[in-house]
């Protein structure tokens, strides 16, 4: 878990946009182009359940503090609700709605039997002790009660949450179950520590999926990854894994931005060395084997591939014209807003959209869930090869839809997802 040490950029208005509006614009564009059934369109344009809980937690000082958390469940027609939990001061109901909706599309594109959900607590975890974080997590789980469950709604890590936090959720949830039912409920969360029932390969899964997508794109384009340059925004779970996993292909990391600063080195930054530094120092700021820079210099850096792996609304009408790259591979959810998308298309910059590119996390979460249900432990080769096969299949479907509909890749990814959902929703109909 990367600690967000400096939130200056968050108060600059970047995240104040209504993220849910972005989702609706993306959705409407695809629905128009594919002529989506109007009743299916109505159903998918609304979330199913929105749970907001206000709950008290005792601080180390002995004082009590109130917190607000959300869980939004968008659609469960393909399977149980599934999606991460985010701890961040910018968490709000519209953001959670957007993130929940994207989860539905991801499950649909990758053919996994999950619906979409997301949750979060609005607070800055870097300002609380480990014991306070544990109590906040446990009280949130208690407040959610039966709104989550192993066959109903399954949380996972997201920004500022990690395997440890999943272990606390698991323990709290199981403690609320009757003793004889506890052993069959370990799949109530995924992204757990391996010893507590997590899957090998889940920690790197999102980054691994991003890399598998980039490799497919490179094959399609006849692009040589050996010697290619890449820049990464966010050096937490997703950003650090993408960086490390691209290294064996001979690609060179030339710039990184996180909440603590920007570092640039056209000769290359070693992702493994940087990971050790970030673990010790909480961020990339101050890394001595690269030059410091500012946000604008970072965005203008010349590189072949840009991997946004931090927060949303980073590639916009203001920043998209400044990018100096051939490909944007979205590790983060919603890093590009619709205005940014338009400019990327106009400028001929390729895009691997979030709902395809970062779906490796939910895919391996599905594998973890399956292993728990069957009391199995797969090895890393099995997890990786299954992930690669599924990512490739999803990539090909999106690429072909882009060709068939003569549209951009984000709209194509939506069309793939919406087609599957349309079929199932029409087959099942409406009760009563
Ligand atoms: P994380 O908490 O591990 O890392 C977040 C990173 O973003 C940190 O390096 C932090 O310093 C940086 N950051 C925060 N604010 C920033 C700012 N204003 N400017 C620049 N950098 C900033 O989170 P993560 O799990 O790596 O998630 C990153 C993104 O990937 C999120 O959009 C998340 O929804 C998405 N995602 C994560 C997973 C997963 O499995 N963890 C799966 C799919 C998508």
């Amino acid at each position: 878990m990367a600690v967000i040490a400096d939130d200056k950029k968050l108060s600059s208005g970047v995240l104040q946009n209504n993220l849910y509006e972005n989702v609706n614009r993306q959705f409407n564009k695809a629905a128009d182009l594919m002529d989506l059934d109007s009743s299916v369109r109505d159903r998918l344009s609304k979330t199913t359940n929105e749970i907001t809980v206000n709950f008290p937690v005792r601080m180390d000082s002995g004082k009590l503090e109130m917190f607000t958390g959300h869980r939004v469940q968008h659609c469960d027609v393909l399977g149980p609700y599934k999606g991460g939990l985010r701890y961040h001061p910018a968490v709000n109901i519209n953001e959670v709605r957007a993130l929940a909706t994207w989860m539905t599309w991801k499950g649909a594109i990758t053919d996994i039997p999950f619906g979409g959900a997301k949750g979060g607590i609005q607070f800055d975890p870097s300002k609380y002790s480990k014991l306070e974080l544990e109590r906040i997590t446990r009280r949130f789980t208690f407040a959610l009660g039966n709104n989550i469950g192993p066959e109903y709604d399954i949380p996972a890590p997201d920004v500022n949450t990690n395997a440890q936090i999943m272990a606390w959720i698991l323990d709290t949830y199981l403690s609320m179950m009757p003793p004889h039912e506890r052993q069959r409920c370990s799949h109530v969360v995924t992204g757990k520590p391996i010893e507590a029932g997590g899957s090998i390969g889940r920690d790197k899964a999102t980054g691994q999926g991003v890399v598998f997508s980039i490799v497919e794109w490179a094959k399609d384009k006849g692009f040589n990854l050996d010697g290619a340059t890449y820049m990464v925004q966010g050096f937490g779970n997703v950003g650090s894994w993408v960086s490390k996993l691209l290294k064996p292909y001979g690609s060179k990391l030339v710039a990184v931005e996180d909440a603590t600063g920007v570092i640039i080195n056209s000769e290359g930054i070693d992702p493994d060395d940087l990971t050790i530094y970030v673990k010790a120092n909480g961020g990339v700021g101050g890394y001595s084997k690269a030059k410091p820079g500012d946000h604008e210099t970072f965005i203008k850096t010349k590189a072949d591939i840009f991997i946004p792996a931090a927060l949303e609304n980073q590639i916009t009408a203001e920043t998209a014209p400044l990018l100096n790259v051939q490909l944007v591979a979205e590790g983060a959810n919603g890093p590009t807003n619709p205005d940014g998308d338009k400019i990327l298309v106009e400028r001929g910059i390729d895009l691997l959209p979030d709902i395809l590119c970062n779906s490796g996390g939910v895919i391996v979460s599905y594998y973890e869930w399956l292993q728990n249900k069957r009391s199995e432990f797969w090895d890393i080769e099995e997890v990786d090869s299954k992930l690669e096969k599924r990512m490739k299949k999803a990539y090909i479907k999106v690429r072909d839809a882009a060709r068939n509909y003569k549209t951009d890749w984000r709209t194509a990814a939506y069309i793939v997802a919406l087609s599957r959902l349309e079929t199932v929703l029409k087959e099942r109909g409406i009760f009563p």
Side-chain angles (χ1 to χ4, degrees):
M1 175 174 65
V3 175
I4 294 177
D6 172 3
D7 261 347
K8 282 199 293 290
K9 289 173 206 127
L10 303 182
S11 54
S12 69
V14 178
L15 283 177
Q16 306 312 316
N17 299 348
N18 187 340
L19 204 61
Y20 195 45
E21 225 171 82
N22 293 354
V23 177
N24 287 329
R25 280 172 70 184
Q26 296 166 349
F27 173 73
N28 286 328
K29 186 176 174 192
D32 287 346
L33 187 61
M34 69 185 287
D35 198 17
L36 184 69
D37 179 274
S38 65
S39 59
V40 170
R41 188 172 176 144
D42 288 347
R43 286 182 73 178
L44 291 175
S45 63
K46 293 266 181 303
T47 59
T48 305
N49 303 309
E50 299 186 349
I51 302 125
T52 294
V53 290
N54 297 305
F55 56 96
V57 180
R58 188 152 323 271
M59 296 293 106
D60 292 344
S61 65
K63 280 203 177 124
L64 196 141
E65 192 174 324
M66 290 299 292
F67 291 82
T68 299
H70 307 282
R71 185 75 181 166
V72 172
Q73 297 161 337
H74 173 251
C75 175
D76 68 347
V77 73
L78 298 179
Y81 298 112
K82 183 86 190 82
L85 286 178
R86 179 175 288 200
Y87 288 178
H88 196 281
V91 164
N92 64 69
I93 191 73
N94 272 322
E95 182 188 69
V96 183
R97 278 183 189 131
L99 292 161
T101 309
W102 280 320
M103 289 306 297
T104 303
W105 311 150
K106 279 187 218 183
I109 291 177
T110 55
D111 274 326
I112 53 178
F114 282 149
K118 203 82 177 192
I121 309 177
Q122 188 186 57
F123 80 118
D124 181 351
S126 68
K127 301 211 159 78
Y128 294 83
S129 72
K130 190 172 175 192
L131 279 171
E132 287 171 335
L133 278 182
E134 177 175 350
R135 288 196 294 272
I136 293 165
T137 302
R138 288 184 183 278
R139 273 308 290 224
F140 182 43
T141 312
F142 177 74
L144 286 175
N146 284 337
N147 290 299
I148 59 169
E151 307 293 335
Y152 178 56
D153 183 352
I154 306 130
D158 192 71
V159 174
N160 288 330
T161 57
N162 58 15
Q164 174 61 76
I165 286 171
M166 297 307 115
W168 291 330
I169 296 174
L170 171 72
D171 188 69
T172 310
Y173 184 84
L174 295 185
S175 304
M176 297 189 303
M177 302 284 301
H180 64 282
E181 291 195 15
R182 287 180 190 155
Q183 292 310 329
R184 58 170 190 83
C185 291
S186 62
H187 51 303
V188 65
V189 276
T190 57
K192 300 179 287 287
I194 290 172
E195 306 75 16
S199 175
I200 285 187
R202 175 59 184 89
D203 53 349
K204 66 164 184 154
T206 305
Q208 183 70 75
V210 171
V211 171
F212 284 147
S213 305
I214 293 174
V215 168
E216 286 309 300
W217 169 85
K219 271 193 225 154
D220 264 351
K221 289 267 159 178
F223 177 87
N224 192 356
L225 284 172
D226 193 4
T229 51
Y230 60 103
M231 54 193 267
V232 178
Q233 187 188 45
F235 207 78
N237 174 285
V238 181
S240 66
W241 276 111
V242 173
S243 303
K244 287 187 282 187
L245 293 166
L246 272 175
K247 184 176 152 183
Y249 290 90
S251 306
K252 197 162 70 174
L253 176 63
V254 291
V256 185
E257 176 180 50
D258 75 357
T260 65
V262 169
I263 55 166
I264 298 174
N265 186 348
S266 56
E267 298 301 309
I269 298 164
D270 178 23
D272 294 301
D273 188 57
L274 185 61
T275 302
I276 295 167
Y277 178 85
V278 168
K279 263 201 183 118
N281 297 282
V284 303
Y287 184 65
S288 64
K289 296 171 196 164
K291 278 194 218 137
D294 59 17
H295 181 59
E296 194 175 328
T297 320
F298 172 76
I299 289 289
K300 287 180 173 168
T301 303
K302 186 170 168 39
D304 295 309
I305 304 167
F306 175 31
I307 301 124
L311 295 165
E312 46 268 8
N313 285 328
Q314 298 297 305
I315 303 175
T316 61
E318 290 76 44
T319 55
L322 307 178
L323 287 175
N324 204 349
V325 298
Q326 294 185 48
L327 171 71
V328 171
E330 294 184 332
N333 286 308
T336 312
N337 73 9
D339 297 337
D341 266 337
K342 204 162 154 260
I343 295 167
L344 293 185
V345 171
E346 282 163 8
R347 295 191 59 211
I349 297 175
D350 286 349
L351 174 82
L352 292 169
D354 47 9
I355 53 176
L356 165 70
C357 189
N358 73 30
S359 60
V362 70
I363 293 173
V364 177
S365 274
Y366 166 51
Y367 297 155
E368 178 175 332
W369 186 76
L370 275 183
Q371 290 170 73
N372 292 161
K373 275 166 80 90
R374 299 172 181 171
S375 299
E376 286 178 3
F377 283 100
W378 303 351
D379 57 27
I380 189 68
E381 287 77 20
E382 186 169 358
V383 172
D384 277 355
S385 69
K386 284 193 159 101
L387 172 64
E388 185 174 15
K389 213 162 135 191
R390 201 175 281 271
M391 290 292 311
K392 263 191 196 168
K393 225 171 115 189
Y395 173 94
I396 289 166
K397 278 196 283 186
V398 172
R399 182 198 61 197
D400 292 353
R403 284 179 187 159
N404 294 341
Y405 283 88
K406 297 190 175 40
T407 191
D408 60 276
W409 278 51
R410 187 179 317 282
T411 308
Y414 266 72
I415 289 174
V416 171
L418 296 178
S419 304
R420 181 171 170 215
L421 288 156
E422 183 179 38
T423 306
V424 180
L425 282 167
K426 276 174 146 175
E427 280 167 358
R428 283 181 47 168
I430 301 168
F431 170 83

